[in-house]
Amino acid sequence: MEHKNQPDLVLFFVTLMLLIIGLIMVLSASSYEAMLDYNDALHFFKRQALFLLMGFVPMFIMMNINIDFVKRLAIPALAISIVLLLLLPTFGVNVNGAVRWYRIGPIQFGPAEMVKPIVIVFFAMWLAALGKKNLKSLKGFIVTLLILAVIPALIIGEDLGTAVCIAGALTCMMIVAEVPWRYLAALVALAIGAVAAMIYAAPYRINRIISFMDPFADPLGGGYQVVQSLYAIGSGSLFGVGLGASRQKLMHLPEMHTDFIFSIIGEELGFLGAGFVILLFAVFICRGFYLSSQMDDKFMAFTAFGLTASIGIQAMINIGVAVGAFPVTGIPLPFISYGGSSLIFMMATVGFLLNLSKHAKK
């Protein structure tokens, strides 16, 4: 398989801008907490900078790796991912009430971040192999539905947000593969039922829904995070209070450098700064979808669309949580939130997208 073009520069530079903004905002959002906890205002910034440098290695590898080799690795990698997810409740560590990570010495690793690109590559292989005719049959759809449901079902118990993100990306791939709408409607109904059952089964999720409907009804309890996030974004107004001048980061807003970093962006850089970040994500998503439409190979097209959709859905959910449009889920803002495994796997994902972009029509 020969490369036709150079990697897409628009996708690369938009990603680079988001990474730079993320590094700056991690420094600004985390400095006060880092000084209190570690007596070093640069603690989180230095770690994020290290993660960023490390991320360029898998990004470069995935940008140049043979695509057929990736396809051969997809099934073994998926099997390993399933084993890691199955073992997570037993061997994972509890952080803030959720068991989402393995810890090996100083390294904390979230398998869900690794699973996203792997399951998308595998699902693209399946859709391309099945073909449009078989996808339109009920038997083909049911088998596809079972494959689609496995990974989200394993994740949903501890990480509902990531499960929704993966399921959303896979559903977008089914739409592009031209699965009949009657099947997709049934899929959406089943997904809503599954999410409703998971919410009902876990009291804390019910409380999150209640707090989401009216966070100010319990501003010191279930609605605390959203209320503080809205205070941050609201006080930013048009131009913001200034970079580094956030008041909400002074231990008022929880997870200010991770899940709620967009709130600090809104406070310090205002509507214009927050809007610029949203614009960058919009350009990234549109460019990724456009490139996928310019690929003749079905596997490449489905993979590029799915990877782009997964990043876009994750960004939409994170920003939606910050502005009170979605219930609190606890997933990071791609490229911007603090976190090692999230950043490194996200950069590897973009590396593979850039690899695929070489095969788009000029």
Side-chain angles (χ1 to χ4, degrees):
M1 186 178 296
E2 296 182 358
H3 293 152
K4 295 181 179 179
N5 307 312
Q6 294 298 314
D8 188 72
L9 292 179
V10 174
L11 209 60
F12 175 76
F13 282 114
V14 168
T15 302
L16 193 60
M17 290 179 70
L18 286 167
L19 290 169
I20 293 170
I21 291 171
L23 199 57
I24 294 169
M25 292 312 303
V26 165
L27 171 60
S28 178
S30 68
S31 57
Y32 184 78
E33 181 181 346
M35 179 59 73
L36 288 180
D37 294 345
Y38 301 98
N39 198 31
D40 179 9
L42 301 178
H43 174 79
F44 293 108
F45 170 77
K46 289 187 289 189
R47 290 174 61 87
Q48 186 77 347
L50 178 61
F51 296 146
L52 179 58
L53 292 174
M54 292 170 60
F56 279 112
V57 176
M59 183 178 181
F60 180 79
I61 292 172
M62 296 307 296
M63 191 164 57
N64 294 280
I65 197 169
N66 184 282
I67 292 177
D68 287 333
F69 180 67
V70 172
K71 292 167 73 174
R72 289 196 295 272
L73 287 180
I75 293 178
L78 185 65
I80 293 171
S81 301
I82 291 174
V83 170
L84 288 174
L85 290 172
L86 288 171
L87 295 177
L88 189 59
T90 304
F91 297 101
V93 294
N94 190 311
V95 179
N96 295 330
V99 184
R100 301 177 184 175
W101 296 272
Y102 288 104
R103 181 171 291 160
I104 305 172
I107 300 173
Q108 195 164 284
F109 162 68
E113 299 297 337
M114 178 184 74
V115 165
K116 278 187 286 186
I118 291 173
V119 72
I120 286 170
V121 169
F122 172 79
F123 200 61
M125 289 172 55
W126 170 260
L127 292 176
L130 198 61
K132 188 185 299 186
K133 181 179 178 180
N134 290 325
L135 273 173
K136 290 185 177 181
S137 70
L138 181 60
K139 180 180 178 181
F141 171 74
I142 291 174
V143 175
T144 303
L145 181 62
L146 292 173
I147 293 173
L148 180 151
V150 169
I151 296 297
L154 292 174
I155 297 175
I156 199 168
E158 289 296 339
D159 195 346
L160 180 60
T162 300
V164 170
C165 180
I166 293 175
L170 300 185
T171 303
C172 289
M173 293 168 69
M174 292 179 70
I175 294 173
V176 173
E178 299 183 35
V179 172
W181 285 103
R182 63 182 182 276
Y183 293 157
L184 291 173
L187 171 62
V188 171
L190 288 172
I192 292 174
V195 171
M198 290 303 300
I199 291 172
Y200 182 77
Y204 76 91
R205 292 193 181 117
I206 297 176
N207 292 334
R208 283 184 177 182
I209 297 296
I210 295 172
S211 300
F212 160 68
M213 298 301 292
D214 186 8
F216 287 92
D218 188 14
L220 299 178
Y224 182 78
Q225 286 180 304
V226 176
V227 167
Q228 296 302 317
S229 176
L230 293 175
Y231 283 156
I233 294 172
S235 62
S237 191
L238 184 61
F239 298 104
V241 299
L243 186 63
S246 166
R247 292 181 290 273
Q248 289 301 104
K249 72 180 182 183
L250 306 180
M251 308 310 291
H252 297 297
L253 176 64
E255 313 295 339
M256 75 287 287
H257 59 295
T258 54
D259 300 342
F260 283 90
I261 196 167
F262 184 79
S263 309
I264 303 299
I265 294 174
E267 182 183 10
E268 295 191 345
L269 305 182
F271 175 80
L272 294 180
F276 181 67
V277 170
I278 293 173
L279 177 63
L280 288 176
F281 277 114
V283 172
F284 181 97
I285 295 164
C286 290
R287 190 64 179 177
F289 286 168
Y290 169 75
L291 289 169
S292 74
S293 72
Q294 300 302 304
M295 297 173 188
D296 292 326
D297 185 277
K298 290 294 185 184
F299 163 75
M300 294 185 189
F302 293 154
T303 303
F305 196 93
L307 294 176
T308 303
S310 70
I311 293 172
I313 291 171
Q314 184 170 331
M316 180 183 69
I317 292 175
N318 179 278
I319 294 171
V321 168
V323 301
F326 297 134
V328 176
T329 56
I331 62 173
L333 184 60
F335 312 117
I336 294 179
S337 291
Y338 172 80
S341 58
S342 172
L343 183 63
I344 289 170
F345 282 112
M346 197 64 68
M347 292 179 70
T349 299
V350 172
F352 195 56
L353 260 177
L354 291 170
N355 193 339
L356 294 169
S357 74
K358 299 175 185 179
H359 302 271
K361 298 174 186 175
K362 289 186 179 179

